[in-house]
Amino acid sequence: MFDRNEMVAILDELRAELRATCGGLWPLLEERDKIIDAGKREADRIIGEGETEHARLVSVNEITVSAEHEGARIIAESRPRPAAA
């Protein structure tokens, strides 16, 4: 059997030691969270820029392909056609 009062006193002592030991960790954890949040914001910014650049490049590619097709069509139309026999 354990003495309830003695166990409560031991638990209180452990709590006090835990607070003293871990109390300095909270600022570190908060700083860690700030760094992680900043990293996530930077990653979102970079992804957004990448998506914008991707859309721009796709648009430029579509314009280029369209221009090449139009150029080929104009060249084909400008060539003389063989005379009908």
Side-chain angles (χ1 to χ4, degrees):
M1 286 288 215
F2 295 102
D3 181 354
R4 183 181 190 291
N5 291 333
E6 185 180 343
M7 291 300 292
V8 170
I10 291 171
L11 287 173
D12 287 341
E13 187 178 322
L14 285 172
R15 280 190 195 112
E17 287 182 31
L18 184 60
R19 281 190 195 111
T21 303
C22 296
L25 296 178
W26 292 115
L28 291 176
L29 293 174
E30 289 174 356
E31 185 64 23
R32 178 204 65 180
D33 291 344
K34 288 178 186 177
I35 291 169
I36 289 171
D37 289 342
K40 286 179 182 178
R41 284 191 306 273
E42 180 68 8
D44 289 342
R45 184 188 66 76
I46 291 169
I47 289 169
E49 286 179 3
E51 289 171 346
T52 300
E53 181 65 6
H54 174 263
R56 186 188 71 77
L57 291 173
V58 166
S59 177
V60 167
N61 184 56
E62 288 173 352
I63 291 169
T64 302
V65 168
S66 177
E68 287 172 350
H69 287 170
E70 183 66 10
R73 184 189 65 77
I74 291 170
I75 290 171
E77 286 180 1
S78 67
R79 290 197 175 126
R81 296 192 173 127

